[in-house]
């Protein structure tokens, strides 16, 4: 028996060593490209460096103190929140509508899905440039189409009230195919017997969707909510492509800073050496603020998801604690 146990132990060690050998490249990449940059960026947040001096200067908590008093931080946070409220919400809703229309196999539905998914594989910069022309208030086809009905379209990207909404709708248009694909996968996992049983019990189409279909695809909804929120907090390329004037990224974020997001402001401070605490150090502090905000919002989503996300292997606990 001892001989068998020793052989089993040696086999387990060999298997563990082989597994570790295959994991080493991934572990090396994790440490070299994620862990080390995180530690270095945290150190830089306590320094001032304009990338011209030979080395950063340690200044302690000055970057963090200035971050708490910087009057532009609430503005860029609010701009990012506006994008989340418009872009993330519209992405979740319209992707679900597209999935409900196309998840049933029928003639031509594959081509329709491909057309909806195609914008997702395109460059955000290229999409932003094309939509910037389409939303041009003087010669863009969007406003020209509105004028055919006797009305005048707004200055989409030139008015603070509509600029962020326009960017949000463009990002929704580009990402709707991705969300639709995941929703379709979730809808295909709903057993046909459940909606049919609800229909026999007298539930109408809306009741079947709200009380049967939506709870069954709630894990997919949660996944898209978390990932789309993280993506919204990192909004950069569409804003640069649609609001830059004169070919300089420093001019992006208009009009009147109404579309300047946290990441764009971080980029501006990274290469701005005219302020007392601008440069790499202050940009690193902003990056850590964004990371902490992303982490906290993700935790809140996961915490509240326990109230509305249903997993198929979960079963309600009977009264009295018996199972």
């Amino acid at each position: 028996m001892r001989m068998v146990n020793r052989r089993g132990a040696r086999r387990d060690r060999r298997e563990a060593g082989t597994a570790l050998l295959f994991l080493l490249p991934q572990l090396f990449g994790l440490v070299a490209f994620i862990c080390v940059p995180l530690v270095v960026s945290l150190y830089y947040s306590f320094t001032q460096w304009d990338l011209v001096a030979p080395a950063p200067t340690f200044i302690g908590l000055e970057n963090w103190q200035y971050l708490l008093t910087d009057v532009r931080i609430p503005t860029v946070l609010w701009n990012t929140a506006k994008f989340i409220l418009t872009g993330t919400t519209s992405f979740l809703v319209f992707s679900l509508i597209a999935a409900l229309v196309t998840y049933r196999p029928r003639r031509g539905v594959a081509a329709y899905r491909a057309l909806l998914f195609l914008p997702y594989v395109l460059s955000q910069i290229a999409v932003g440039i094309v939509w910037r022309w389409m939303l041009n208030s003087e010669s863009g086809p969007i406003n020209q189409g509105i004028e055919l009905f006797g009305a005048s379209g707004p200055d989409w990207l030139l008015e603070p009230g509509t600029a962020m909404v326009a960017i949000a709708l463009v990002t929704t248009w580009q990402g709707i195919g991705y969300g639709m694909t995941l929703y379709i996968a979730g809808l295909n996992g709903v057993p046909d017997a459940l909606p049919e049983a609800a229909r026999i019990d007298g539930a109408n189409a809306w009741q079947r969707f709200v009380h049967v279909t939506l709870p069954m695809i709630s894990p997919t909804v949660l996944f898209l909510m978390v990932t789309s929120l993280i993506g919204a907090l990192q909004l950069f390329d569409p804003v640069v492509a649609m609001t830059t004037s004169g070919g300089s990224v420093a001019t992006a974020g208009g009009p009147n800073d109404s579309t300047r997001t946290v990441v764009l402001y971080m980029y501006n401070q990274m290469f701005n050496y005219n302020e007392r605490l601008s440069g790499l150090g202050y940009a690193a502090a902003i990056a850590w603020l964004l990371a902490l905000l992303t982490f906290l919002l993700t935790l809140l989503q996961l915490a509240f998801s326990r109230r509305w996300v249903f997993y198929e292997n979960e079963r309600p606990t009977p009264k009295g604690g018996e199972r």
Side-chain angles (χ1 to χ4, degrees):
M1 180 64 71
R2 291 181 178 177
M3 183 67 66
V4 173
N5 291 338
R6 290 176 181 175
R7 290 177 179 175
R10 286 197 295 268
R11 184 178 63 252
D12 291 341
R13 286 195 295 269
R14 286 197 303 268
E15 292 177 352
T18 304
L20 180 61
L21 185 63
F22 280 101
L23 287 174
L24 277 178
Q26 182 67 23
L27 292 175
F28 175 78
L30 178 67
V31 173
F33 299 108
I34 295 181
C35 297
V36 172
L38 281 175
V39 174
V40 173
S41 67
L42 182 61
Y43 166 72
Y44 281 148
S45 69
F46 300 102
T47 67
Q48 184 178 12
W49 193 20
D50 58 5
L51 300 180
V52 177
T57 302
F58 186 81
I59 58 174
L61 295 174
E62 289 189 37
N63 284 323
W64 293 93
Q65 293 172 347
Y66 183 62
L67 182 65
L68 297 176
T69 58
D70 189 349
V71 295
R72 294 164 294 189
I73 291 295
T75 300
V76 297
L77 287 175
W78 172 238
N79 291 338
T80 305
K82 285 192 298 183
F83 177 82
I84 293 172
L85 293 174
T86 53
T88 302
T89 303
S90 60
F91 165 74
L92 294 172
V93 172
F94 287 115
S95 296
L96 179 57
I97 294 174
L100 291 172
V101 172
T102 62
Y103 87 99
R104 292 291 187 186
R106 60 174 66 93
R107 192 185 190 95
V109 72
Y112 186 66
R113 291 177 185 175
L115 288 174
L116 285 177
F117 190 82
L118 180 61
Y120 180 71
V121 302
L122 302 177
S123 165
Q124 286 188 321
I125 293 294
V127 169
I129 292 174
V130 171
W131 274 96
R132 179 176 179 173
W133 165 73
M134 293 181 66
L135 294 171
N136 187 288
S137 57
E138 297 180 358
S139 58
I142 301 295
N143 278 8
Q144 288 181 355
I146 295 175
E147 291 174 358
L148 295 177
F149 297 94
S152 59
D155 294 330
W156 296 99
L157 299 174
L158 299 178
E159 295 181 3
T162 59
M164 185 58 81
V165 175
I167 294 173
L169 293 178
V170 170
T171 57
T172 295
W173 171 84
Q174 185 175 15
I176 193 172
Y178 168 75
M180 175 197 69
T181 302
L182 295 185
Y183 275 131
I184 289 175
L187 290 169
N188 287 330
V190 178
D192 293 334
L194 295 181
E196 182 63 21
R199 186 187 66 81
I200 294 174
D201 288 341
N204 58 35
W206 175 252
Q207 291 171 332
R208 294 196 300 272
F209 171 74
V210 172
H211 298 291
V212 179
T213 304
L214 196 57
M216 291 297 292
I217 66 170
S218 56
T220 303
V221 177
L222 174 63
F223 174 79
L224 286 173
M225 284 181 61
V226 172
T227 54
S228 60
L229 178 63
I230 294 174
L233 290 170
Q234 299 175 0
L235 180 68
F236 180 78
D237 287 349
V239 174
V240 171
M242 299 179 69
T243 64
T244 296
S245 61
S248 174
V249 179
T251 62
N256 299 327
D257 285 342
S258 61
T259 61
R260 191 176 303 278
T261 60
V262 178
V263 176
L264 180 57
Y265 182 59
M266 178 181 66
Y267 179 89
N268 296 147
Q269 291 300 305
M270 173 75 178
F271 299 103
N272 179 19
Y273 311 135
N274 298 323
E275 300 179 10
R276 184 175 64 88
L277 287 177
S278 59
L280 179 61
Y282 188 52
I286 298 174
W288 272 95
L289 170 68
L290 180 61
L292 293 174
L293 182 62
T294 303
F295 179 72
L296 290 176
L297 291 177
T298 302
L299 281 184
L300 286 175
Q301 285 181 299
L302 295 177
F304 282 107
S305 69
R306 299 175 182 175
R307 302 182 179 182
W308 59 272
V309 176
F310 171 81
Y311 294 98
E312 189 176 357
N313 60 349
E314 291 180 349
R315 293 292 183 268
T317 303
K319 293 181 180 180
E322 299 179 356
R323 292 184 179 271

